[in-house]
Amino acid sequence: MAEISLVVPVYNVEACLPQCMDSIRRQTLSNIEIICVVDGSTDRSETLLRLYSRLDSRVRIVVKENGGLSSARNAGIKASTAPIVMFVDADDLLADRACQTVRDAFGAHDADMVTFGAECYPSVAGDAWYEMVLSPGNAYYPEFHTDILFKEQSRPFVWRTACKRDFLERTGLRFDETVRFGEDQIFHFAAYPKAHGVTFIPDKLYRYRLVREGSLMSTRLSDERLKLQEHLVITDRVCAEWKRDGLMGPYGVQLAEWVADFLLYDIMVCNPAYRLELAEGLGALLGNRFSRDALEAAGY
C-alpha cells in the first residue's frame, strides 16, 4: 500500500501540468499514489495525464464533470487509499523531499494534521505577507488550542496541510462544494478543532505559483466587491460550523476578533459605492452568529 495519497485537481492547466507532475514523480519517497482528478477539463490536460499514467503506474486518473476545486479534492479523498492525504494544485510544485518529510513528521508525533512551509514561485512574485503566512514555526499541539489558528502560521492554503485519512473519515471532513473561493479557510477552521494532534514544521516543501493567467485566485483578486462578498460567505460558513460544534462559548471572542481582522478594515476602506451593502452584510452576520457579550469583549 502507498504511504501517501497526493490529490491533484486538474482543470485546464496543460501549460503547467508537466512541471507539477514531474516534481511529484521526483519524490524521494517513492511509495506514493498520485490521484489526478480531471474536473471537466476542456484542454489537453487529460491527454497529458494518460501519457504520465503509461510511464508511471502510481498515477491514477479520476474523470468527473466540472464541479470546482472543492468537488475535485473531495473526489480525490474518496479515491485515496494511503494513510496520509496531501493536496497539490496542478500549477504548483513539490520539493523533492516533501512526501518523505511529511511522513516523518507524522511519525514524530501522534498527530492528525501536519502543516508545513512553502515559498512563492517565482520567488520575485512574493511579498512580505506571503513570506509570513508561508513560514510556520516548529510546534506540536496534542489537543486544540486557539493558538493553532490565531498565532501559528496555519492558514489559509490547504495544499500545505496533510491529514491522516482516518481522521478525514472519522470526522466526515470534506471541502465545502458550495463555495468556489476560500474553501481553504473553511476547511482549516473546521479541521483544526477536531484534530487529535497538530504538528507544524518550518520546512518549505511546496512551491506556490502565485501568478497564472485565468486562475481562480487572479480572477477574484481583480474584483474588490466580489472578493469581499465572498469573504463574507467564508466568514459566515466558519461561524456556522463553530456554532454547530459548540465552539462559540469557549472561543467566540477570539473568533470575533478574527472576523474584525479579516473583514472589518477592508470593508471600511472599500469603494463607497458598495461599502454600505457590505457593512450591512457584516452587521447581519455578527448579529446572527455571535452573542452580545462576545462582540463587546472583542471590541465591537
Side-chain angles (χ1 to χ4, degrees), residues 282-297:
L282 177 58
L285 184 157
L286 294 171
N288 289 333
R289 301 301 187 191
F290 292 91
S291 68
R292 182 179 297 274
D293 289 344
L295 293 176
E296 289 179 353

Side-chain angles (χ1 to χ4, degrees), residues 165-264:
R165 189 164 60 87
D166 66 357
F167 164 61
L168 297 175
E169 298 305 319
R170 182 177 75 242
T171 60
L173 275 166
R174 293 296 186 271
F175 292 92
D176 189 334
E177 297 184 18
T178 66
V179 298
R180 296 185 67 85
F181 182 78
E183 75 293 333
D184 305 65
Q185 289 273 32
I186 298 170
F187 182 86
H188 275 136
F189 272 93
Y192 284 127
K194 295 178 173 68
H196 299 159
V198 175
T199 296
F200 293 94
I201 58 174
D203 308 65
K204 291 184 177 291
L205 305 177
Y206 194 98
R207 302 181 73 188
Y208 172 42
R209 191 184 300 269
L210 192 57
V211 179
R212 178 173 67 83
E213 185 178 353
S215 70
L216 184 61
M217 180 67 79
S218 63
T219 302
R220 293 305 192 269
L221 292 179
S222 65
D223 187 325
E224 180 189 53
R225 185 180 189 180
L226 178 60
K227 181 185 76 171
L228 291 174
Q229 287 173 334
E230 291 186 328
H231 280 188
L232 279 169
V233 172
I234 293 165
T235 304
D236 189 62
R237 299 293 167 83
V238 168
C239 293
E241 177 87 19
W242 275 38
K243 200 164 190 176
R244 281 195 302 269
D245 289 350
L247 297 170
M248 284 300 205
Y251 308 122
V253 174
Q254 292 96 321
L255 188 64
E257 291 171 343
W258 170 76
V259 173
D261 182 63
F262 185 52
L263 271 175
L264 187 57

Side-chain angles (χ1 to χ4, degrees), residues 40-294:
S41 189
T42 58
D43 67 356
R44 295 179 298 173
S45 293
E46 183 180 348
T47 300
L48 288 171
L49 290 174
R50 297 292 175 192
L51 293 173
Y52 272 103
S53 68
R54 293 174 190 170
L55 290 171
D56 194 329
S57 62
R58 300 174 301 174
V59 176
R60 296 172 51 201
I61 302 171
V62 176
V63 179
K64 59 183 288 298
E65 293 183 0
N66 180 255
L69 184 56
S70 292
S71 173
R73 285 178 177 153
N74 287 341
I77 293 171
K78 183 177 180 180
S80 67
T81 64
I84 297 169
V85 178
M86 293 176 62
F87 304 98
V88 183
D89 286 357
D91 50 357
D92 298 335
L93 300 95
L94 279 183
D96 291 355
R97 294 180 59 84
C99 290
Q100 183 174 342
T101 304
V102 167
R103 181 203 59 187
D104 293 347
F106 274 106
H109 296 289
D110 185 18
D112 281 335
M113 302 174 69
V114 169
T115 295
F116 47 88
E119 58 187 359
C120 292
Y121 175 74
S123 58
V124 295
D127 58 25
W129 183 82
Y130 281 106
E131 175 62 27
M132 177 183 69
V133 300
L134 296 178
S135 301
N138 205 331
Y140 170 64
Y141 292 82
E143 58 187 22
F144 178 64
H145 192 287
T146 52
D147 282 357
I148 293 173
L149 283 162
F150 305 126
K151 179 181 176 183
E152 303 291 346
Q153 301 303 332
S154 60
R155 301 175 286 109
F157 303 109
V158 78
W159 34 252
R160 63 192 187 95
T161 293
C163 300
K164 285 184 177 176
R165 189 164 60 87
D166 66 357
F167 164 61
L168 297 175
E169 298 305 319
R170 182 177 75 242
T171 60
L173 275 166
R174 293 296 186 271
F175 292 92
D176 189 334
E177 297 184 18
T178 66
V179 298
R180 296 185 67 85
F181 182 78
E183 75 293 333
D184 305 65
Q185 289 273 32
I186 298 170
F187 182 86
H188 275 136
F189 272 93
Y192 284 127
K194 295 178 173 68
H196 299 159
V198 175
T199 296
F200 293 94
I201 58 174
D203 308 65
K204 291 184 177 291
L205 305 177
Y206 194 98
R207 302 181 73 188
Y208 172 42
R209 191 184 300 269
L210 192 57
V211 179
R212 178 173 67 83
E213 185 178 353
S215 70
L216 184 61
M217 180 67 79
S218 63
T219 302
R220 293 305 192 269
L221 292 179
S222 65
D223 187 325
E224 180 189 53
R225 185 180 189 180
L226 178 60
K227 181 185 76 171
L228 291 174
Q229 287 173 334
E230 291 186 328
H231 280 188
L232 279 169
V233 172
I234 293 165
T235 304
D236 189 62
R237 299 293 167 83
V238 168
C239 293
E241 177 87 19
W242 275 38
K243 200 164 190 176
R244 281 195 302 269
D245 289 350
L247 297 170
M248 284 300 205
Y251 308 122
V253 174
Q254 292 96 321
L255 188 64
E257 291 171 343
W258 170 76
V259 173
D261 182 63
F262 185 52
L263 271 175
L264 187 57
Y265 176 78
D266 287 344
I267 290 176
M268 288 174 61
V269 300
C270 74
N271 191 316
Y274 43 80
R275 184 184 300 155
L276 180 59
E277 167 200 337
L278 294 168
E280 289 176 345
L282 177 58
L285 184 157
L286 294 171
N288 289 333
R289 301 301 187 191
F290 292 91
S291 68
R292 182 179 297 274
D293 289 344

